[in-house]
Amino acid sequence: MLNPIDPDTVIRDGGASGLYPQEIHTGVAWWIAACFVVTTKTDRLVMAHDGNPTSIDFFRRLCLGAINAQHYACTVVTLGDAADKMLLDVMHAAGDVPGVSISSVPAALGTMVTITLYDRHGKPLTETTGLADIRAMIAQDRVPIPVNSSSKGRVQPHGQEAER
């Protein structure tokens, strides 16, 4: 792992959170998204952020990780700056697919970043619904490798999704 983190500290409470840049970095977003797609075995995912510049940087990396997760060819439906209520509504309307929300707030020593992972039922991921698996994959440096170009997913803004 090029830039290690403390997975037990960062990956908890329904996702990943930590002080940027001390505890968490944008590479973590790539790892989290790729592992989340593989853990949930999904080919569709909905993502949103809170509009803060740091959140947008992490959001971009989340999208890249999700579309490059092994052979899943995951389509990431992006909402951009959207509240969790809208994220949950779109997840449900898309067929009860998993979702990701990213937020950040200024803190005394940097920026506190929170990546919340939602299961297909709109509940934050728990230890038994995938969080422990994601933490183990990252701790053991078993982050899913990028796919070949024919299995790569795509990012689509909400409202431009193709019919399944």
Side-chain angles (χ1 to χ4, degrees):
M1 189 177 302
L2 292 175
N3 194 357
I5 60 164
D6 179 355
D8 292 328
T9 299
V10 173
I11 303 167
R12 57 181 163 57
D13 303 330
S17 63
L19 195 59
Y20 170 74
Q22 295 87 338
E23 297 174 318
I24 195 169
H25 54 81
T26 56
V28 173
W30 194 101
W31 302 339
I32 290 286
C35 292
F36 186 49
V37 167
V38 171
T39 300
T40 58
K41 297 176 174 56
T42 190
D43 64 353
R44 292 180 69 196
L45 187 62
V46 181
M47 286 194 204
H49 60 76
D50 64 2
N52 293 325
T54 301
S55 299
I56 294 169
D57 289 343
F58 276 78
F59 178 80
R60 289 181 186 126
R61 294 300 295 268
L62 283 161
C63 289
L64 290 174
I67 66 171
N68 283 297
Q70 288 182 339
H71 60 277
Y72 287 92
C74 186
T75 297
V76 177
V77 177
T78 61
L79 303 178
D81 184 355
D84 282 0
K85 167 88 170 87
M86 182 176 178
L87 173 73
L88 296 170
D89 289 347
V90 173
M91 288 167 49
H92 178 69
D96 293 322
V97 300
V100 180
S101 174
I102 179 89
S103 63
S104 61
V105 294
L109 300 173
T111 304
M112 182 56 70
V113 174
T114 303
I115 301 168
T116 305
L117 306 173
Y118 292 99
D119 67 15
R120 294 174 188 276
H121 307 291
K123 304 292 182 202
L125 225 54
T126 66
E127 292 298 309
T128 58
T129 60
L131 203 57
D133 295 334
I134 291 170
R135 184 183 314 103
M137 290 171 75
I138 292 172
Q140 297 166 13
D141 203 15
R142 292 187 304 119
V143 177
I145 58 171
V147 296
N148 60 40
S149 59
S150 66
S151 296
K152 188 173 184 173
R154 65 186 182 281
V155 176
Q156 292 183 314
H158 178 56
Q160 296 180 11
E161 299 93 331
E163 292 296 319
R164 289 184 67 132

